[in-house]
Amino acid sequence: MLMQGKQGLICGVANKRSIAHAIAKSLHREGAKLAFTYQGERLKKNVEEIASELGSSLLYNCDVSKDEDIKKLFEDVKKDMPYLDFLVHAIAFANKEDLEKNFHTTTRDGFKLAHDISAYSLIGMAREAMPLMQEKGGAIVTLTYYGSEKVVPGYNVMGVAKASLEASVRYLAADLGASNIRVNAISAGPINTLAARGISGFTKILEITPQKAPLRRNVEVDEVGDAGLFMCSPWSRGITGEVLYVDCGYNIVGM
Ligand code: NAD
Ligand code: IMJ
């Protein structure tokens, strides 16, 4: 019961396959009290069901492209939870066509959208979460991918946005450290979620990864869940501004 008496907010559950769901399951297993955001009424029912399985009825609508949604979210959270121990940010979006065409065709609007949703949202949420974490300290965890540092076919503008997200983790960690708030990222290997399905060649990526990864297999979503738990828990209390790879070692191999 590592997380007994701790409470936090999970952002980015779309369905049962979501990485945010796996992290929420691990946190729940260790006794944490959870609240969830959902992106619009379309996803409310899914998130409601998942929250209820994890003993929670605290749900908030939040589209991170809207400043007013982020502001209202933390005003509402404050009414239900006087204090936040952790915040999980598992949100990314780019136009599908920008993940299919050549990178050099990326439009200004497509670039802005990917960075706004996938990188800026962490900054906006961290700022609003700060007052709720200030007293006892807290942990903020986001999700990133290897395509931020090496070219992965099709990842394109998302790779550039993840590079921005990872740099944001370091700058946020430097600022928020004075309030004993830690900020870290988990770089997960490819997992068959909503954000990965429908990507052309994704099945191929799942086939190729085990040929190179030291553990000779793909990562399981529950392994990312437990790493998320670790980053939210006091066991990682000396770690901030870090990117932790949960990818069966794929990133360490040159060829
Ligand atoms: P997912 O589709 O289950 O989750 C993505 C979430 O982003 C959804 O819940 C969606 O509602 C949310 N979202 C998108 N736009 C939003 C907006 N405007 N406002 C609020 N929420 C919004 O897929 P996932 O794979 O669990 O993705 C979670 C995170 O993990 C993402 O940051 C993704 O980049 C990262 N990641 C995924 C993989 C993978 O292979 N699946 C690997 C490494 C990192
Ligand atoms: C996504 C695109 C191309 C290659 C990819 C991915 N690889 C992996 C992903 C190799 C692992 C999944 N991933 C890490 C993501 O961050 C996905 C983000 C994403 C996915 C979609 C699909 C649907 C859509 N927009 C999206 N925006 C971001 O319309």
Side-chain angles (χ1 to χ4, degrees):
M1 284 303 217
L2 180 59
M3 299 303 281
Q4 192 81 61
K6 306 252 192 235
Q7 52 189 12
L9 180 64
I10 311 286
C11 309
V13 175
N15 59 33
K16 285 197 185 302
R17 287 177 183 261
S18 295
I19 293 173
H21 178 222
I23 297 175
K25 275 195 299 182
S26 292
L27 286 161
H28 173 71
R29 187 187 71 219
E30 297 298 329
K33 182 180 167 190
L34 303 175
F36 295 83
T37 64
Y38 58 92
Q39 182 200 4
E41 296 306 313
R42 187 173 48 91
L43 291 174
K44 184 173 182 182
K45 213 173 170 309
N46 276 358
V47 180
E48 215 162 36
E49 205 178 297
I50 284 166
S52 118
E53 280 172 13
L54 299 176
S56 168
S57 57
L58 298 175
L59 300 187
Y60 313 93
N61 186 8
C62 182
D63 179 335
V64 297
S65 67
K66 298 176 184 154
D67 280 335
E68 59 273 22
D69 273 26
I70 297 179
K71 230 185 159 62
K72 182 162 188 309
L73 165 66
F74 287 95
E75 284 168 11
D76 290 345
V77 167
K78 195 177 177 174
K79 291 174 196 155
D80 297 324
M81 289 179 168
Y83 195 82
L84 269 189
D85 294 288
F86 55 87
L87 167 68
V88 174
H89 171 282
I91 291 172
F93 190 78
N95 286 326
K96 197 160 198 290
E97 61 183 36
D98 286 333
L99 305 175
E100 285 167 348
K101 300 204 295 193
N102 285 320
F103 175 65
H104 71 266
T105 68
T106 306
T107 60
R108 192 182 295 270
D109 278 349
F111 183 94
K112 278 189 193 167
L113 177 72
H115 284 73
D116 185 27
I117 307 297
S118 315
Y120 177 77
S121 64
L122 180 73
I123 304 169
M125 294 188 108
R127 183 172 57 246
E128 300 302 329
M130 257 182 95
L132 283 167
M133 294 184 156
Q134 212 107 34
E135 237 169 86
K136 292 187 282 170
I140 300 176
V141 180
T142 188
L143 271 300
T144 187
Y145 177 61
Y146 182 67
S148 65
E149 52 186 302
K150 299 287 185 220
V151 172
V152 174
Y155 203 54
N156 297 356
V157 72
M158 268 310 305
V160 185
K162 290 297 193 190
S164 164
L165 178 74
E166 290 171 23
S168 302
V169 163
R170 292 186 282 274
Y171 279 92
L172 285 170
D175 279 357
L176 276 50
S179 308
N180 195 26
I181 300 170
R182 301 182 295 106
V183 187
N184 290 292
I186 291 171
S187 188
I191 296 171
N192 197 356
T193 64
L194 195 61
R197 252 183 295 163
I199 300 294
S200 69
F202 191 76
T203 316
K204 193 107 195 205
I205 286 165
L206 287 178
E207 281 169 20
I208 291 169
T209 303
Q211 297 171 19
K212 178 179 149 186
L215 294 182
R216 290 168 174 78
R217 60 174 177 84
N218 284 301
V219 73
E220 284 169 23
V221 73
D222 289 347
E223 296 171 333
V224 181
D226 283 347
L229 158 68
F230 168 70
M231 278 304 196
C232 290
S233 83
W235 284 5
S236 61
R237 65 194 173 278
I239 304 174
T240 195
E242 198 59 79
V243 178
L244 175 67
Y245 289 83
V246 184
D247 65 348
C248 295
Y250 184 90
N251 77 94
I252 67 158
V253 177
M255 264 183 82

